[in-house]
Amino acid sequence: SHAVASLESELDVPLLIRDRKRGITLTEVGQKVLPHMREILKRIDSINQEIALATNLETGLIRIGTFASASSCLLPKLLAKFQKKHPKIEFKFYEGTYEEITEWLSSGIIDIGFVVKGKSNPGFDWVPLIKDDMVVAYHPEHRFHAKETVDMDDLLEESFIMPTGMYQSHVEALFEESQVKPSIRFEVHDCTTIANMVQEGLGVTIGPELFLKTQQNVKISKLNIENSREVALACQSIENASPAVKEFLNTAQNVF
């Protein structure tokens, strides 16, 4: 409180609105100044990291944005490899939706984000990680359980759960390519909700293997038509990133 008050006095503008009912919010000036403050702090951290490297000491904090399936399937392997070589680097994780991660990257809240490359998140530097195939998911006792590969035509007879989130375009592209019109019974945005519905035998769905293979009581099979999304690590600028962030991205390139 004293630090903020001192800063407001120095700048001669209010940065926060203090209201007993609504709590503390940023003023219009505060909203405009905050990204610059984050950038200043990031630059100070980079300076400290450069000095630490010059004196053979390691320091730094990497803030990473991640979505659920990346957290469980990609992040642990990457962290294990990185921490063996750089045990003193600290991490802070933010888990959210694809849209939230993109916003956190743009505003400087995070240094690196696990993202799915696409039109909704241009302007970043990328480090490609994996191609995540679209697969069909169904209840363990479903007739598909004996099929290693499911034909798109087989979905004509099924109650289909259509995802309306980030990978909807991939699902629609599969149906368009195969000229199959699904019998859509539900349209659902949340991935976890879709998986729970499949677990209850309410229908089948198509989605990314990275996520669906981690769901209990859900079985998956390949499709006779291939379609995938590219999972990558993104940052505002690799050239301007801190030494710790650059090394983390370099490790990622070698792991996947």
Side-chain angles (χ1 to χ4, degrees), residues 123-127 233-240 249:
F124 301 131
D125 285 346
W126 306 91
V127 173
L233 280 174
C235 69
Q236 286 189 357
S237 169
I238 294 177
E239 183 180 354
N240 296 324
L249 293 173

Side-chain angles (χ1 to χ4, degrees), residues 71-215:
S71 296
S72 60
C73 300
L74 301 179
L75 192 55
K77 183 178 181 180
L78 180 51
L79 286 175
K81 182 77 172 180
F82 185 84
Q83 287 280 277
K84 284 182 181 179
K85 190 176 180 182
H86 308 282
K88 295 183 180 180
I89 300 297
E90 298 179 6
F91 291 90
K92 187 172 183 179
F93 302 105
Y94 299 76
E95 188 166 300
T97 63
Y98 306 129
E99 295 82 4
E100 286 173 329
I101 293 170
T102 300
E103 174 59 31
W104 294 336
L105 277 170
S106 299
S107 61
I109 292 175
I110 58 176
D111 304 302
I112 306 171
F114 283 91
V115 297
V116 175
K117 290 187 69 173
K119 296 180 180 179
S120 62
N121 44 29
F124 301 131
D125 285 346
W126 306 91
V127 173
L129 299 179
I130 64 165
K131 286 197 172 180
D132 190 13
D133 293 331
M134 293 293 124
V135 296
V136 60
Y138 46 87
H139 188 274
E141 296 179 3
H142 192 275
R143 65 187 180 95
F144 287 167
H145 81 278
K147 292 191 173 187
E148 189 173 324
T149 301
V150 173
D151 195 290
M152 290 294 295
D153 288 336
D154 291 336
L155 298 177
L156 278 171
E157 305 171 18
E158 301 295 330
S159 295
F160 192 77
I161 305 170
M162 173 62 78
T164 59
M166 186 71 173
Y167 55 87
Q168 180 179 2
S169 60
H170 295 276
V171 178
E172 291 174 338
L174 282 165
F175 284 117
E176 184 176 349
E177 183 179 349
S178 61
Q179 297 183 337
V180 170
K181 187 175 181 180
S183 300
I184 300 174
R185 186 176 181 186
F186 305 100
E187 294 184 75
V188 186
H189 184 82
D190 183 72
C191 297
T192 303
T193 302
I194 293 173
N196 290 338
M197 293 173 73
V198 172
Q199 290 173 11
E200 295 298 326
L202 294 173
V204 303
T205 193
I206 293 174
E209 183 178 11
L210 186 66
F211 168 70
L212 289 170
K213 72 180 181 181
T214 65
Q215 302 304 299

